[in-house]
Amino acid sequence: MKSKHLAVVGGGASGISAALEAIYADNSIKVTVFERLPKAAKKILATGNGRCNFTNEDLSPRHFYGEISFLRKVLTSPFADDESFFRSLGILSYGEDGRIYPRSQQASAIRDALLNNAEEYGVTIKLDTGVEEIKKAKSAFTVNGSFFDAVIVAGGGKASPVHGSDGSCFAILKNMGHSITPLYPALCGLTTDDKNIKMLKGVRAEGKASLFSGKILLGNESGEIQFTDKAVSGIPVMNLSHLVKNKKGLTLILDLCEDISEAELFEHIKSIKATAPDRELETVLSGIVNTKLGFAVMNKANIKPRTTIGQVTAKEIENLCDILKNFDISIVGTRDFDNAQITCGGVKTDEVFPETMMSKKHDGLFICGELLDIHGDCGGYNLHLAWTTGRIAGSSAAEYLKSKG
């Protein structure tokens, strides 16, 4: 019997896992992966600060965004057990605050396990080989002029192009008749023109971030907030970034003392005023928040440096406490795709079968990973979608090829 040929466009997390699952299902399939960079799976090395947070203990739908019925079928798929998948590749894992990492704490272990298994099973990976067009030719496809019986498109979104995701596959799929929802950078910092933020560059602080459009609360998250001279970042803010699209009048409100009530803050500062009236206000605030944050709070309260706590009125203390609990920052937008972890938007999921990842437009064409209009929070959720949708696509492509005889 003549061997079937499967093309996988994209040698990242989703593409390599798809290639492996296809050849696991049928080792007679000739699998060719097209990767435009000199090295495959490069983006994996940058995940989890180099440790690769590859999944999470809590995989409830509340951590994911997109068409809910599509997501539920993906999340309940037999291919959604990432820990077992990587254990079969030789990777032991461990948990940290719900996040799952390789036990070695090295992202390279995940990448090497995938690529070593691909090599062992005879997957061909063509490096430095981008794909510009996929054409349907009767019951087959042509990719870069070569014929394939089926194609899995796993080329990634537009985020972090230096790691391989340049968004080129969106144009390919659009030319094949698929609808692409608007694309936005997500899991990225929020940009601001607030002059108070410039002095906070390099500061990290625990707190609660709430994003508003006018008076409408879009969402809130707690955790470590990070500041640059023109943006606010950190996991809580990054998790809110997908809510920015098409919104106006954006404001980020930070509770810099989430574990302390405003009344408790007032009593604390008032007691210092009573016992140490000559103490400078910046010193008082440095006992509550980062020193630079304290100066920013004073700026917002229009209180000059070197002011003693004894010179501050009760009304001004109330105002300081309000600012500590509601530190407002005007938001201009998000950072760009170069500085984003994922793409928000993509191929409409009602054009893809969730059980197989096969296109409803073309039999034998499978779409997975970040190309789909689904995404997740920080914490391994997007890699979970990549492995899971890739594995579903790979197994389903093998079944499709078997059905062709």
Side-chain angles (χ1 to χ4, degrees):
M1 183 183 291
K2 186 179 178 182
S3 295
K4 297 295 183 182
H5 291 261
L6 171 65
V8 179
V9 180
S14 193
I16 298 299
S17 55
L20 283 175
E21 209 62 56
I23 213 160
Y24 290 165
D26 184 350
N27 61 12
S28 71
I29 298 172
K30 303 298 182 183
V31 181
T32 302
V33 177
F34 294 86
E35 170 54 51
R36 73 180 189 89
L37 294 184
K39 292 183 178 180
K42 183 179 178 181
K43 194 172 183 178
I44 290 173
L45 299 177
T47 60
N49 292 320
R51 294 193 294 155
C52 192
N53 169 204
F54 67 88
T55 187
N56 199 288
E57 290 177 0
D58 179 10
L59 295 172
S60 63
R62 67 189 177 90
H63 291 292
F64 299 88
Y65 307 92
E67 208 285 312
I68 191 65
S69 64
F70 186 94
L71 279 167
R72 284 190 186 279
K73 288 177 181 176
V74 170
L75 296 173
T76 57
S77 164
F79 296 101
D81 185 352
D82 293 337
E83 283 194 88
S84 293
F85 173 61
F86 280 103
R87 194 177 301 114
S88 74
L89 302 182
I91 299 292
L92 294 180
S93 59
Y94 84 102
E96 183 180 296
D97 298 326
R99 296 174 170 85
I100 306 298
Y101 297 88
R103 195 171 185 279
S104 67
Q105 300 194 50
Q106 292 177 295
S108 58
I110 295 287
R111 177 182 180 269
D112 292 348
L114 290 166
L115 296 182
N116 288 340
N117 273 266
E119 183 179 3
E120 288 167 11
Y121 277 84
V123 174
T124 299
I125 301 178
K126 292 190 174 184
L127 302 173
D128 290 312
T129 309
V131 172
E132 296 181 0
E133 187 178 48
I134 301 170
K135 287 185 176 181
K136 185 72 183 285
K138 294 183 179 179
S139 61
F141 298 84
T142 58
V143 179
N144 288 1
S146 298
F147 280 89
F148 292 89
D149 299 286
V151 177
I152 299 173
V153 188
K158 291 184 69 174
S160 191
V162 69
H163 294 114
S165 303
D166 66 348
S168 58
C169 285
F170 289 120
I172 291 171
L173 292 168
K174 187 174 182 179
N175 287 337
M176 298 184 77
H178 275 286
S179 306
I180 312 296
T181 63
L183 307 175
Y184 302 91
L187 291 191
C188 57
L190 301 181
T191 57
T192 179
D193 54 9
D194 192 316
K195 293 178 181 178
N196 277 302
I197 300 305
K198 195 166 186 178
M199 71 172 70
L200 298 176
K201 183 178 180 180
V203 170
R204 296 169 180 250
E206 291 293 321
K208 180 179 181 180
S210 301
L211 184 63
F212 287 83
S213 175
K215 294 183 179 181
I216 300 172
L217 175 65
L218 301 178
N220 53 60
E221 292 270 345
S222 296
E224 186 183 75
I225 297 159
Q226 301 173 14
F227 298 88
T228 69
D229 56 349
K230 294 180 181 179
V232 188
S233 190
I235 289 175
V237 176
M238 292 167 67
N239 279 342
L240 297 172
S241 60
H242 71 103
L243 301 170
V244 167
K245 58 182 181 182
N246 298 327
K247 298 296 191 303
K248 296 180 180 179
L250 292 164
T251 306
L252 190 68
I253 304 291
L254 304 180
D255 183 346
L256 300 171
C257 302
E258 189 180 3
D259 57 334
I260 310 172
S261 72
E262 198 165 329
E264 289 171 322
L265 283 171
F266 180 83
E267 290 302 321
H268 172 72
I269 296 172
K270 191 174 75 168
S271 69
I272 296 175
K273 179 179 178 177
T275 57
D278 293 332
R279 190 174 298 173
E280 292 182 350
L281 180 58
E282 48 258 49
T283 302
V284 174
L285 292 176
S286 71
I288 302 170
V289 292
N290 178 283
T291 301
K292 289 183 179 180
L293 270 172
F295 278 118
V297 168
M298 289 176 65
N299 254 10
K300 281 184 174 289
N302 294 315
I303 297 175
K304 294 179 181 179
R306 310 304 297 270
T307 299
T308 65
I309 186 64
Q311 296 172 302
V312 179
T313 68
K315 188 69 176 176
E316 287 175 321
I317 294 175
E318 285 183 6
N319 189 34
L320 287 166
C321 294
D322 179 64
I323 294 169
L324 285 165
K325 297 292 288 182
N326 300 281
F327 190 94
D328 64 297
I329 303 168
S330 61
I331 298 300
V332 177
T334 66
R335 299 198 73 184
D336 58 19
F337 280 111
D338 287 347
N339 296 284
Q341 289 188 15
I342 63 161
T343 304
C344 181
V347 176
K348 292 183 69 173
T349 50
D350 62 5
E351 297 177 357
V352 177
F353 293 106
E355 301 86 357
T356 62
M357 297 297 128
M358 188 160 76
S359 162
K360 294 180 182 179
K361 305 279 185 181
H362 303 284
D363 288 350
L365 176 68
F366 300 82
I367 306 167
C368 58
E370 199 176 327
L371 288 168
L372 297 165
D373 186 12
I374 53 175
H375 69 278
D377 288 332
C378 281
Y381 297 107
N382 292 288
L383 275 176
H384 179 80
L385 290 175
W387 318 124
T388 304
T389 58
R391 294 179 64 205
I392 293 170
S395 177
S396 302
E399 288 299 316
Y400 169 79
L401 293 175
K402 284 180 185 177
S403 71
K404 289 186 69 175

